[in-house]
Amino acid sequence: MQENQRTSKPAADRAEDARAASKARILASRAAARRAVLLAALLGAVFVQEFCSLSYLTASADEPAHLPSGYTYWKTGDFRLNPEHPPLIKLIAALPIVLFMNPVVRWDDPNWTKDPPDQAAFGMRFLYSNNADEMLFWGRLPVVLLSVLLGWFVFRWARDLYGPRAGLFALFLYAFCPNILAHSRFVTMDLGLTCFFFITVYYLWRFTSLGGLRNLVLAGAAMGLALASKFSAVVLLPLLPALLVVAALMPRADEARGAPLARLADFPKAAGPGPRLFLAAQACALVIVVAFFLVWAISFFPRDPFFYVKGLAKVNANHHPEYWFYLAGNFKQGGWWYYFLAAFFFKTPAPMLLFILAGFVLIRVPPRPSWRDEGFLLLPAAVFFVVSSALASNVGIRYVLPVFPLLFVFTARITDFVLHRRVRTIAAGALGAWLAIGTVRVFPDYIACFTDFAGGPKNGYKYLDDSNLDWGTDLKRLKTWMDEHGVERINLFTPYSVMPGYYGIKFDWYEFMRKEPPPPGLYAIGSQILVRGLVAAKMEGYATDWLVRYKPIDRIGQGFFIYKIE
């Protein structure tokens, strides 16, 4: 009998182990299903917020140049319009118009035939001689989809580094970042650059960590797409060898255990700094070849070998060297070296700032991947931020947009620490709710979102201007306001090239820059020009300091202040 017990006990144990293993598989499957639902919900939140806000927005300042340019590239192969930006995003945005619409275009328009063409005048005629809203919708939709693609890669990199829960947290930060949402809805270069810059660094990290020619080729392809999106992607050219050299000289503990001579695809297995540097040089050359071939193809194979350098030389060519930049009530020619630091603080929601700060404060808290892994996040972010601070005009947080997704992935490192204790989870949940509710509340005015530390969107004009505040997109809502208030005609001024009459607005164009006070009447004045009016009043004695002189009776989104002058 004792012998039977001895033989039956292991069988019982095996059955119990099988039941436990089955239960564990069921629990793991349920957890994976919950994560998949949350992933789909967060990616859906990115898409829905951007897609639903499209109908509110009239053309931004740059879109009448960018969208028609892309159309002319497809139809003529002529890249004369808008040469200060590479063609990729313009081509992507214009493709649905080429495929699904048949816009009326006057190819004999002198604004097109003269050399150089007048991109502003041609673009305005192209847009408003057709169904402008429909063209803007189709042109913006590909940029919205690029933002969803970027959200997926944010999740993927954070998951690879810190686990699936961290991937969801990084994606949550991305999905409710007003700066990402703001610039994912326009035919401009900033979101496209951000997307492909991030993917480039991601696949470069995968190559140095896992090897594989596929990862290296994908890094090269993404780099080519970044370079073809915006000229500021040239920052990748010094970053590429720098990151590869760091990976070669400072391998992780689990690397460099293989043979001294390894294939390029086996980069992490090569032992010794010499062979690794040799492989890094090969990798750098391959990425650059792939990238520049793609740039050449996207530019329709120009014969001039210096076509990209010539385009790069035109960046900021139309910027006025004596322009007075604006920061927190002050104006300065040439701007401030710390402008983007200040803009980052003013434009980043308060809970998001606290999350990012926690990521740095808790940098030594497990889980702690190799410092080199996190270096692939922080070094590109720092280099891009510093270069932009040194070279970019002080007009918009959008110029450092690629920094945000990298910081979101890095910040996701605190996920396990936060979820380890209930009080931490509750605190993080409160911050997350603050972030999500605050972002949803500013819909669709993401472009004018400011941190609660600065008083929120209503006080944004006190700190920043230009594309941080107003980009000329509120004409539809101005028309709605006029209809609701029984206003048939209004005095109007906005600094942007807009077509109020296209939206049925009856107006008298008011010359804002004048030294005499305005006559009695009802006025709709763009937020951007009101800020510029402060410097005109201070420097040239104009009566344009309306933000000081008069109290508005209403605001249209964040784009227009409404004044009633008695």
Side-chain angles (χ1 to χ4, degrees):
M1 186 172 185
Q2 292 177 349
E3 184 177 351
N4 289 339
Q5 289 177 344
R6 287 195 298 270
T7 57
S8 63
K9 188 174 181 180
D13 288 346
R14 287 196 298 273
E16 183 65 26
D17 290 344
R19 286 193 293 271
S22 176
K23 183 178 180 180
R25 286 194 296 271
I26 292 172
L27 292 175
S29 176
R30 290 176 178 173
R34 287 194 296 269
R35 289 194 295 268
V37 170
L38 285 173
L39 173 61
L42 288 170
L43 290 174
V46 175
F47 179 81
V48 168
Q49 291 179 93
E50 295 166 0
F51 182 84
C52 290
S53 63
L54 292 180
S55 61
Y56 289 85
L57 306 173
T58 50
S60 65
D62 292 348
E63 288 177 298
H66 294 162
L67 189 57
S69 296
Y71 185 84
T72 63
Y73 299 166
W74 283 117
K75 287 296 186 177
T76 69
D78 188 332
F79 286 74
R80 291 181 304 143
L81 277 182
N82 200 235
E84 61 266 32
H85 295 293
L88 177 62
I89 303 304
K90 292 172 281 186
L91 286 168
I92 292 174
L95 184 59
I97 298 173
V98 173
L99 295 177
F100 307 129
M101 299 181 67
N102 187 28
V104 175
V105 185
R106 282 190 53 187
W107 296 111
D108 60 345
D109 185 345
N111 295 309
W112 165 254
T113 57
K114 68 181 180 180
D115 194 19
D118 187 331
Q119 64 182 16
F122 177 82
M124 292 291 286
R125 173 170 288 183
F126 172 87
L127 198 60
Y128 294 106
S129 295
N130 295 284
N131 188 328
D133 288 341
E134 186 177 2
M135 286 203 294
L136 287 170
F137 171 81
W138 284 109
R140 291 164 171 171
L141 188 59
V143 183
V144 172
L145 296 178
L146 281 180
S147 74
V148 176
L149 175 66
L150 175 54
W152 158 251
F153 274 97
V154 167
F155 163 79
R156 184 174 176 178
W157 197 349
R159 179 201 63 187
D160 292 351
L161 276 177
Y162 309 115
R165 295 188 301 183
L168 292 172
F169 178 52
L171 179 55
F172 171 80
L173 294 177
Y174 177 87
F176 293 99
C177 175
N179 296 302
I180 294 292
L181 296 173
H183 296 287
S184 299
R185 307 168 302 165
F186 299 120
V187 183
T188 55
M189 315 302 124
D190 304 292
L191 192 281
L193 166 68
T194 302
C195 178
F196 297 124
F197 185 96
F198 185 92
I199 296 173
T200 300
V201 181
Y202 170 71
Y203 277 113
L204 199 60
W205 168 77
R206 281 184 61 88
F207 168 74
T208 61
S209 301
L210 304 174
L213 283 179
R214 178 177 177 273
N215 288 323
L216 197 59
V217 171
L218 288 173
M223 183 174 169
L225 296 174
L227 289 167
S229 296
K230 194 171 182 179
F231 285 118
S232 50
V234 296
V235 172
L236 286 167
L237 295 178
L239 263 176
L240 170 66
L243 291 171
L244 288 171
V245 167
V246 168
L249 295 179
M250 300 290 181
R252 298 185 307 191
D254 60 342
E255 294 179 354
R257 295 179 180 176
L261 296 177
R263 299 176 305 166
L264 180 58
D266 299 325
F267 176 85
K269 298 180 181 179
R276 292 170 70 88
L277 283 172
F278 178 69
L279 293 178
Q282 292 183 48
C284 187
L286 179 59
V287 168
I288 290 175
V289 168
V290 172
F292 276 96
F293 178 80
L294 198 55
V295 171
W296 186 44
I298 291 169
S299 300
F300 295 2
F301 303 103
R303 295 181 179 180
D304 185 353
F306 300 104
F307 72 97
Y308 196 83
V309 176
K310 290 180 178 178
L312 185 62
K314 295 180 181 179
V315 175
N316 295 336
N318 58 350
H319 289 195
H320 199 292
E322 297 181 356
Y323 186 78
W324 291 85
F325 295 104
Y326 176 71
L327 176 62
N330 299 302
F331 292 90
K332 183 180 179 182
Q333 290 180 331
W336 297 263
W337 67 266
Y338 55 85
Y339 174 87
F340 287 104
L341 282 173
F344 186 88
F345 172 77
F346 292 137
K347 294 288 291 176
T348 304
M352 186 173 288
L353 285 171
L354 294 175
F355 276 131
I356 293 171
L357 179 62
F360 284 97
V361 170
L362 301 173
I363 195 167
R364 294 187 177 275
V365 173
R368 184 76 172 104
S370 165
W371 68 267
R372 198 193 74 187
D373 289 327
E374 293 184 333
F376 269 80
L377 297 168
L378 296 181
L379 181 60
V383 169
F384 195 93
F385 196 92
V386 169
V387 171
S388 298
S389 296
L391 300 177
S393 296
N394 291 180
V395 295
I397 191 69
R398 62 193 179 94
Y399 287 158
V400 293
L401 202 64
V403 171
F404 283 92
L406 295 166
L407 287 181
F408 296 156
V409 175
F410 173 77
T411 302
R413 67 182 318 283
I414 68 174
T415 304
D416 286 345
F417 174 83
V418 164
L419 297 178
H420 186 66
R421 297 283 180 87
R422 177 168 298 194
V423 65
R424 298 173 190 165
T425 305
I426 292 173
L431 285 178
W434 180 9
L435 172 61
I437 292 171
T439 300
V440 171
R441 284 181 63 187
V442 301
F443 173 93
D445 297 313
Y446 303 119
I447 200 168
C449 188
F450 283 75
T451 177
D452 290 325
F453 295 146
K458 66 180 181 181
N459 288 324
Y461 68 90
K462 298 178 181 179
Y463 300 98
L464 299 169
D465 70 340
D466 208 274
S467 59
N468 295 305
L469 180 67
D470 163 34
W471 231 7
T473 61
D474 276 330
L475 287 176
K476 287 183 184 179
R477 286 193 284 177
L478 175 59
K479 172 59 175 172
T480 300
W481 183 91
M482 292 174 65
D483 292 343
E484 290 175 350
H485 290 79
V487 177
E488 293 189 3
R489 197 172 190 90
I490 198 166
N491 296 295
L492 174 67
F493 191 84
T494 173
Y496 301 111
S497 297
V498 296
M499 295 288 287
Y502 182 84
Y503 294 100
I505 297 173
K506 296 180 180 179
F507 67 98
D508 295 305
W509 199 254
Y510 176 71
E511 183 55 51
F512 185 73
M513 292 297 177
R514 54 199 298 173
K515 294 191 175 182
E516 62 275 10
L522 194 64
Y523 294 81
I525 308 297
S527 301
Q528 163 69 359
I529 197 63
L530 286 170
V531 174
R532 305 314 304 175
L534 295 175
V535 68
K538 181 179 179 180
M539 302 300 174
E540 302 181 41
Y542 285 90
T544 52
D545 51 346
W546 285 33
L547 291 171
V548 177
R549 290 179 179 236
Y550 310 113
K551 184 177 180 179
I553 62 170
D554 208 344
R555 290 177 71 170
I556 310 297
Q558 302 301 325
F560 287 102
F561 283 65
I562 305 298
Y563 290 91
K564 187 174 183 180
I565 306 298
E566 301 290 351

